[in-house]
Amino acid sequence: MEKPLVLVTGVTGYIGGRLVPELLEAGFRVRAMARNPQRLRDRDWFGDVEVVEADAGDPEQVAAALQGVDIAYYLIHALGTGNRFESRDRHTALTFGTAAREAGIRRIVYLGGLYPQGEELSPHLDSRREVGEILLASGVPTTVLRAAVILGSGSASFEMLRHLTDRLPFMVTPRWLGTRIQPIAVRDVLLYLVGSASMPAEVSRGFDIGGPDVLTYRDMMQRYAAVAGLQPRRIVTLPLLTPSLSSHWVGLVTPVPSSIARPLVDSLIHEVVCKEHDIAQYVADPEAGLIGFDRAVELALKRVQEFDVSTTWASASTPGAPSDPLPGDPDWSGGSLYVDERESAVSATPERLWSVIEGIGGGNGWYSWRLGWWARGVLDRVFGGPGLRRGRRNPQDLSVGDPLDWWRVEEIEDLKLLRLRAEMRLPGLAWLELIVDTDADGNTIFRQRALFHPHGLPGHLYWNAIKPFHGIVFGGMQRNIAEAAQRSAGSAQWKASRKSS
């Protein structure tokens, strides 16, 4: 018999990117749905799946993606996309449920949030609850898995916990640190997601899923510190810290921006503890038992330390960005375009220069005016942008779709081109291209282009305001990258991490 065909949505996100290889290993055929399939091409599993391009809010595209599918995983939510995320979540869930029913899908599997009954929920949790109810009412047998804090390398919840505890040996905290939470390891979440595909047709309901430990957030911070080898943290509770103030505080201290921290903090105000464990009737727990908090933290930290984080909370794309063409593409619609273009000869091989370019950002920095980059990063965080704290997934290797501080890798051609798209708060669209070339005599040439498409008068004013600093920022970057490549000529410090295609 032919293996069941599974559609996975949200494949550029944290859970979706990890679920695909688990489904393949379990013997399913997988179809991956993405707004921008190019973002997936560097994934290890890309050649083993069918990839379809579709926007979850477009009924025709979703219907086409669901044709011939047996089981569909709905892993889409609009967390951190603005004030209207609830209406976006509602629209995409209704669109998907209707299309799934008309396509004759055998089962929908949805990962939502754990929430208490009989309480006024935060907008984030209420939207998760509503999406689950919409899918359950779609007429398609549906499994809704409800989880609280997910512990795994790169998850937003774990990164928030990790950076708060690592960076603040003493902290004044809000009341929600005393709220009880039942976290779950990402490995156990994936176990339940894969197992849910095989549930009997008559089962259509929600299930609470959680690990073996019920802790307060304060407990989680202290136990994280112990596992990480840190001194016990000194924590003082201050009732005046509202969720709004707390989210801005989290946004400044951790890589998680306030736009994502706010819904996470709002959810932590509620006690989120499993009320049942009925999932075990259909998906058996591991023989060794579910992973406890300390072991989950240990596994996550090991991944971080070994630079083996396959997906992160920042893996998800920015809504709307993939539809905007790069100036110079055939479909570019015109309009104003500012360009800062520089070129220099480099006394190093293309491989050495490329190794420096691919190692840019994160802990390696931007080879430019440090104070200027730091100040711009802080300003971006204040206004809800990613700033410079997202860092890198891996210190030397980059793939299409990777977050890189306030940029995202839009295109990468081995030993030739790295194109970054800005995701900082800007009155326009911006790209940075770093290009390796050779001249007719075989000399290595380093080209650099910064492009900015302004939105209205604020965009024009912004470009002209920062133009006097371009010599320091972009000129310094050009010189320092070239010098770093030349210094590495007799050193093994920089090594090309990707092979030429």
Side-chain angles (χ1 to χ4, degrees), residues 82 85 151 218 326 428:
F85 74 89
L151 299 171
R218 181 195 300 266
L326 171 74

Side-chain angles (χ1 to χ4, degrees), residues 408-458:
R408 188 173 297 277
V409 179
E410 186 171 85
E411 181 59 75
I412 185 166
E413 296 180 28
D414 298 326
L415 302 175
K416 295 178 182 178
L417 166 70
L418 173 62
R419 179 186 299 143
L420 305 175
R421 183 193 185 98
E423 292 187 344
M424 68 185 89
R425 294 287 190 248
L426 283 173
L429 305 174
W431 293 263
L432 176 64
E433 290 187 333
L434 305 176
I435 302 163
V436 178
D437 202 353
T438 55
D439 62 16
D441 297 323
N443 300 312
T444 301
I445 304 298
F446 174 33
R447 295 192 174 94
Q448 179 180 296
R449 285 205 312 164
L451 305 100
F452 182 68
H453 174 53
H455 286 168
L457 179 60

Side-chain angles (χ1 to χ4, degrees), residues 35 55 317-325 421 429:
R35 285 196 310 258
D55 187 311
S317 61
T318 301
S323 64
D324 296 320
R421 183 193 185 98
L429 305 174

Side-chain angles (χ1 to χ4, degrees), residues 176-471:
W176 50 259
L177 256 71
T179 304
R180 295 200 312 155
I181 302 164
Q182 190 166 354
I184 182 170
V186 67
R187 296 189 185 195
D188 290 332
V189 173
L190 294 171
L191 171 77
Y192 288 138
L193 283 168
V194 174
S196 294
S198 304
M199 282 189 177
E202 65 272 14
V203 177
S204 185
R205 54 163 291 189
F207 298 90
D208 293 351
I209 59 172
D213 301 309
V214 177
L215 307 162
T216 66
Y217 205 88
R218 181 195 300 266
D219 294 335
M220 290 167 60
M221 295 179 79
Q222 297 292 20
R223 287 177 64 167
Y224 170 91
V227 173
L230 305 172
Q231 293 294 321
R233 284 11 213 164
R234 297 183 179 182
I235 301 172
V236 176
T237 300
L238 183 64
L240 296 178
L241 276 175
T242 65
S244 179
L245 289 173
S246 298
S247 63
H248 285 294
W249 166 63
V250 170
L252 289 173
V253 174
T254 80
V256 182
S258 56
S259 59
I260 293 177
R262 176 60 191 266
L264 293 178
V265 169
D266 282 346
S267 302
L268 293 172
I269 294 170
H270 303 287
E271 181 172 282
V272 280
V273 177
C274 295
K275 298 171 287 296
E276 41 82 10
H277 190 54
D278 297 349
I279 187 70
Q281 299 175 27
Y282 306 99
V283 183
D285 291 341
E287 290 185 10
L290 296 171
I291 299 171
F293 178 85
D294 293 352
R295 179 58 177 161
V297 169
E298 183 182 329
L299 290 169
L301 285 176
K302 186 173 186 290
R303 291 276 191 179
V304 171
Q305 292 159 1
E306 294 178 351
F307 309 117
D308 190 23
V309 180
S310 57
T311 63
T312 75
W313 62 270
S315 299
S317 61
T318 301
S323 64
D324 296 320
L326 171 74
D329 285 353
D331 57 351
W332 173 244
S333 57
S336 300
L337 179 66
Y338 293 112
V339 180
D340 182 283
E341 195 162 6
R342 298 168 190 270
E343 177 180 315
S344 62
V346 181
S347 300
T349 63
E351 289 80 8
R352 291 287 182 182
L353 177 58
W354 178 254
S355 296
V356 178
I357 288 173
E358 196 177 8
I360 201 168
N364 297 323
W366 289 90
Y367 297 90
S368 186
W369 184 26
R370 289 181 180 271
L371 179 60
W373 281 82
W374 174 84
R376 185 62 180 86
V378 170
L379 185 64
D380 194 51
R381 300 287 292 184
V382 169
F383 285 96
L388 294 174
R389 285 191 175 151
R390 288 196 305 193
R392 299 171 53 105
R393 180 184 55 84
N394 183 288
Q396 287 187 297
D397 182 59
L398 289 176
S399 299
V400 170
D402 273 0
L404 180 57
D405 290 328
W406 62 44
W407 307 91
R408 188 173 297 277
V409 179
E410 186 171 85
E411 181 59 75
I412 185 166
E413 296 180 28
D414 298 326
L415 302 175
K416 295 178 182 178
L417 166 70
L418 173 62
R419 179 186 299 143
L420 305 175
R421 183 193 185 98
E423 292 187 344
M424 68 185 89
R425 294 287 190 248
L426 283 173
L429 305 174
W431 293 263
L432 176 64
E433 290 187 333
L434 305 176
I435 302 163
V436 178
D437 202 353
T438 55
D439 62 16
D441 297 323
N443 300 312
T444 301
I445 304 298
F446 174 33
R447 295 192 174 94
Q448 179 180 296
R449 285 205 312 164
L451 305 100
F452 182 68
H453 174 53
H455 286 168
L457 179 60
H460 292 279
L461 293 175
Y462 173 81
W463 177 266
N464 286 287
I466 65 171
K467 190 174 181 179
F469 300 99
H470 285 183

Side-chain angles (χ1 to χ4, degrees), residues 6-52:
V6 173
L7 177 77
V8 182
T9 64
V11 285
T12 60
Y14 176 69
I15 293 293
R18 297 189 180 210
L19 178 61
V20 169
E22 298 293 329
L23 289 168
L24 290 171
E25 187 174 346
F28 293 98
R29 292 180 295 138
V30 176
R31 177 182 293 168
M33 184 182 110
R35 285 196 310 258
N36 184 10
Q38 278 294 99
R39 291 271 311 276
L40 304 174
R41 74 176 196 207
D42 288 336
R43 302 292 178 96
D44 292 340
W45 41 261
F46 183 75
D48 300 321
V49 305
E50 177 189 353
V51 178
V52 295

